[in-house]
Structure formats: structure tokens, C-alpha cells
Amino acid sequence: MKQTATDIIVERLQQGGFRDTATRRAILDVFQKRVKPVSAPELSEFLSEKGFWPNKTTVYRELAFLRDQEILHEVQFMDGTRRYEMASETHHHHLVCVDCDAVEEVVVREDLEQEEKRLARAKRFKILNHSLEFYGICGKCQLSR
Ligand SMILES: [Zn+2]
Ligand SMILES: [Zn+2]
């Protein structure tokens, strides 16, 4: 049987001594299929569609756990809601459409990384991370305006 991306993650967690649960697998499956970052309430909805009804606390705990394991990455857009996506190899940013809520991942060229280094030096500030999202109107929405 072919190993799915979820199998690989679960296996890695098991090696770290963490349990393999049906809920965790269902959550990971949701994230494998989503292109847009997902909030906790949205995740609960997707899970219920698959016949899983974990309580709110379990959902938040799982999200925090998977984030701490660096399997998920937390993103916060302008509305302040915490959303999660699969942590990807490449550092990226998002284009967020304020009309239809479409979210696209984009990579910003090296100028930004250089600016980060410059700021860190100039301010003697040890930068650990940064988050940068762009808000606007996507191509599709521009056409229908
Ligand atoms: Zn960046
Ligand atoms: Zn749009």
C-alpha cells in the first residue's frame, strides 16, 4: 500500500513517542488538501463533513501540538484570526483577496531578506521570524467588478 503524506507525518510523530489517533489523521488529511490557511472553526467544519466531531478543546490542542511539532505553520491575517497551513520548505508570503478571500502563496525575492539583515544590523535586533501578507483584489474579482 502506498504511503500517504499523512502516513509519513504520523510515522515521524510515532518515532517521537506520539500516538497515532484517527482524529489527528483526519486533521492532517484536511491540511493536505487545503490550499488556503484554515482556522480552528473551519477545521471543525471540515472534520464534521468527514464524520469526526472532536470538541473545541481537542481541535485547539491538536493545532497547537502540530504547530509546536513544526508540521503546521500559524498565519495571522488582518482579521486577527489564527489560521494554519502545512509548514512548507520555502518561506513564503500571501496574497489575500479582500473580496473573495482567495489566498495565494508567493515568494518575495531576496531584497526583502537583505532588508531584514540590514535592519537587524542597524538596530542590533536579532530577528527570529517575520510575517508579511498583501491585501487586495485578485485577478478574478477585478474582472467581475
Ligand atoms: Zn519573508
Ligand atoms: Zn478575489
Side-chain angles (χ1 to χ4, degrees):
M1 210 173 78
K2 203 175 157 275
Q3 251 196 340
T4 64
T6 294
D7 291 334
I8 294 166
I9 295 169
V10 168
E11 204 166 274
R12 209 175 81 204
L13 288 172
Q14 279 182 307
Q15 279 160 8
F18 299 107
R19 286 195 308 151
D20 174 4
T21 68
T23 305
R24 184 166 295 159
R25 277 180 179 270
I27 290 173
L28 289 167
D29 282 342
V30 167
F31 281 102
Q32 296 295 348
K33 285 183 196 105
R34 302 298 302 175
V35 279
K36 254 170 69 166
V38 177
S39 67
E42 282 165 350
L43 175 61
S44 295
E45 215 179 297
F46 293 132
L47 288 173
S48 68
E49 283 164 16
K50 300 162 119 237
F52 286 89
W53 307 87
N55 63 41
K56 233 172 131 180
T57 321
T58 306
V59 170
Y60 280 95
R61 206 184 45 216
E62 279 295 319
L63 285 171
F65 169 75
L66 294 169
R67 181 202 55 208
D68 293 345
Q69 293 298 316
E70 290 174 353
I71 291 160
L72 295 181
H73 177 217
E74 192 179 295
V75 236
Q76 217 173 102
F77 295 150
M78 257 190 325
D79 63 5
T81 305
R82 284 172 193 212
R83 292 183 174 82
Y84 300 85
E85 62 185 0
M86 289 304 293
S88 69
E89 302 284 304
T90 43
H91 171 74
H92 63 265
H93 301 262
H94 296 96
L95 302 180
V96 184
C97 177
V98 297
D99 268 7
C100 71
D101 296 325
V103 178
E104 192 182 338
E105 288 186 5
V106 287
V107 173
V108 174
R109 304 242 172 245
E110 62 184 40
D111 298 17
L112 183 68
E113 308 304 324
Q114 261 158 33
E115 186 58 10
E116 179 173 308
K117 280 184 196 138
R118 189 193 65 78
L119 282 169
R121 267 196 310 269
K123 300 287 178 189
R124 292 164 170 261
F125 188 87
K126 186 177 181 323
I127 295 173
L128 300 173
N129 199 357
H130 72 243
S131 147
L132 170 68
E133 327 300 341
F134 303 89
Y135 301 90
I137 321 291
C138 76
K140 244 194 207 161
C141 288
Q142 285 178 55
L143 286 175
S144 58
R145 275 198 159 191

